């Protein structure tokens, strides 16, 4: 069993409000702000390389039409993942998982790695990502939290490296959430903190596992969720949310 020490605020896709999401610049920005953990999304290129990217479509963050699942790693490396965000990020690349992990380890950050497979690649994505992560991640450091909305990906993580903690991601409130969470032997419940009611959160608290809520960029909502018993929030502006939850809630 892992011993998880989760900070109250986790940088979402790095520090998404200040740098292009899921890039090395975003990871370094979170570290520069003194944020302790980052969350990043991993999916596969056509040729099976785990890369840090959120959408199935490339357009929003690269200006390239088409799907990540249809591009090779060589093609992905040609794309600019920074200029959409601002001129100072022109030339920023989509990192491989390996590049991102090396930056995270170098900066001494904790990690929530979200397995974000393209449809039909739930098992394969978890396998490829965890092959890389278990090879690179220091054995003596705090273990990364592996999360996913996809239960097959979590099941694969449990089979591959049972001792790394798993986070059960849920966008809607699932009626059978407890059975699924118990079956997958998860360590945290990761919820949509803008959509959940106090009553639903009280139901999760009964499981006695840390509750993490995304994506909370409003300081008042962060304070409210923590009053209700949420343990940590993912934020695009983690410095502002950290200040809000460290002062009072
Ligand atoms: O892991 C928390 C959050 O990142 C889940 O939603 O769509 O931002 O990956 P999304
Ligand atoms: Mg995510």
């Amino acid at each position: 069993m892992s011993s998880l020490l989760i900070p109250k605020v986790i940088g979402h896709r790095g520090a998404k409000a200040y740098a292009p999401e899921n890039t090395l610049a975003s990871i370094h920005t979170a570290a520069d702000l003194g944020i302790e953990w980052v969350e990043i999304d991993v999916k596969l290129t056509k040729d099976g390389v785990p890369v840090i990217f959120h959408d199935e479509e490339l357009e929003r963050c690269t200006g390239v039409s088409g799907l990540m699942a249809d591009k090779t790693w060589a093609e992905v490396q040609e794309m600019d993942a920074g200029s959409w965000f601002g001129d100072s990020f022109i030339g920023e690349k989509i990192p491989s998982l390996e590049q991102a992990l090396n930056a995270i380890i170098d900066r001494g950050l904790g990690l929530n790695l979200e397995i974000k497979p393209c449809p039909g690649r739930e098992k394969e994505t978890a396998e490829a990502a965890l092959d890389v992560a278990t090879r690179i991640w220091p054995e003596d450091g705090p273990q990364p939290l592996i999360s996913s909305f996809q239960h097959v990906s979590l099941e694969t993580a449990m089979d591959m490296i049972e001792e790394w903690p798993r986070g059960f991601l849920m966008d809607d409130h699932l009626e059978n959430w407890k059975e699924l969470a118990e079956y997958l032997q998860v360590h945290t419940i990761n919820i949509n903190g803008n959509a959940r009611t106090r009553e639903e959160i009280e139901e999760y608290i009964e499981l006695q596992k840390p509750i993490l809520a995304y994506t909370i960029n409003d300081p008042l909502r962060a304070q409210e969720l923590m009053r209700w018993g949420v343990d940590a929030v993912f934020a695009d502006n983690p410095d502002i949310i950290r200040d809000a939850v460290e002062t009072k809630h």
Side-chain angles (χ1 to χ4, degrees):
M1 199 55 151
S2 70
S3 54
L4 267 180
L5 278 178
I6 303 171
K8 284 185 179 173
V9 182
I10 299 169
H12 186 232
R13 307 184 201 170
K16 179 176 178 283
Y18 308 125
E21 63 184 61
N22 282 327
T23 62
L24 297 185
S26 194
I27 291 167
H28 285 297
T29 300
D32 291 343
L33 293 168
I35 298 306
E36 294 165 77
W37 275 41
V38 287
E39 182 262 9
I40 54 174
D41 306 292
V42 61
K43 57 184 356 96
L44 296 183
T45 62
K46 183 181 182 183
D47 49 347
V49 176
V51 291
I52 306 307
F53 203 72
H54 179 273
D55 300 357
E56 285 172 39
E57 303 263 356
L58 292 158
E59 183 76 38
R60 180 176 64 90
C61 293
T62 67
V64 174
S65 62
L67 302 175
M68 175 61 83
D70 292 336
K71 303 289 182 192
T72 63
W73 168 235
E75 290 170 318
V76 167
Q77 284 176 282
E78 297 301 313
M79 297 173 194
D80 183 316
S83 58
W84 71 278
F85 192 87
D87 287 351
S88 56
F89 295 101
I90 289 172
E92 195 66 35
K93 297 294 184 192
I94 295 171
S96 66
L97 174 61
E98 180 159 352
Q99 290 167 337
L101 291 183
N102 282 328
I104 287 165
I105 293 163
D106 281 351
R107 298 301 303 264
L109 291 164
L111 172 64
N112 174 195
L113 182 64
E114 183 188 340
I115 313 278
K116 186 77 103 183
C118 295
R121 302 183 85 182
E122 292 79 9
K123 187 166 196 286
E124 185 189 355
T125 304
E127 283 174 346
L130 288 165
D131 267 343
V132 170
T134 53
R135 177 166 53 78
I136 293 179
W137 196 260
E139 278 182 30
D140 54 352
Q143 294 160 326
L145 175 65
I146 307 299
S147 64
S148 189
F149 290 106
Q150 304 303 325
H151 306 149
V152 170
S153 298
L154 289 176
E155 198 171 22
T156 305
M158 182 163 64
D159 288 344
M160 283 183 74
I161 179 139
E162 201 259 333
E163 62 271 31
W164 277 10
R166 287 172 295 287
F168 183 75
L169 263 167
M170 193 171 20
D171 201 35
D172 295 322
H173 174 80
L174 302 175
E175 283 309 318
N176 60 343
W177 71 271
K178 197 166 175 228
E179 288 74 27
L180 288 165
E182 283 173 347
Y183 169 71
L184 294 163
Q185 297 174 34
V186 298
H187 301 66
T188 66
I189 306 294
N190 300 14
I191 61 167
N192 179 343
N194 293 311
R196 298 285 68 80
T197 64
R198 184 170 195 166
E199 289 66 35
E200 287 164 339
I201 289 171
E202 277 167 4
E203 198 181 314
Y204 309 141
I205 288 171
E206 284 175 26
L207 197 65
Q208 298 189 305
K209 310 258 184 210
I211 300 169
L212 284 52
Y214 64 87
T215 302
I216 310 301
N217 297 329
D218 174 2
L220 292 177
R221 181 63 173 171
Q223 291 173 342
E224 179 173 60
L225 287 168
M226 294 210 164
R227 275 200 308 275
W228 291 355
V230 165
D231 297 282
V233 296
F234 299 91
D236 299 335
N237 50 353
D239 54 336
I240 291 176
I241 298 302
R242 179 188 52 195
D243 289 349
V245 300
E246 281 181 356
T247 48
K248 106 176 194 315
H249 62 266

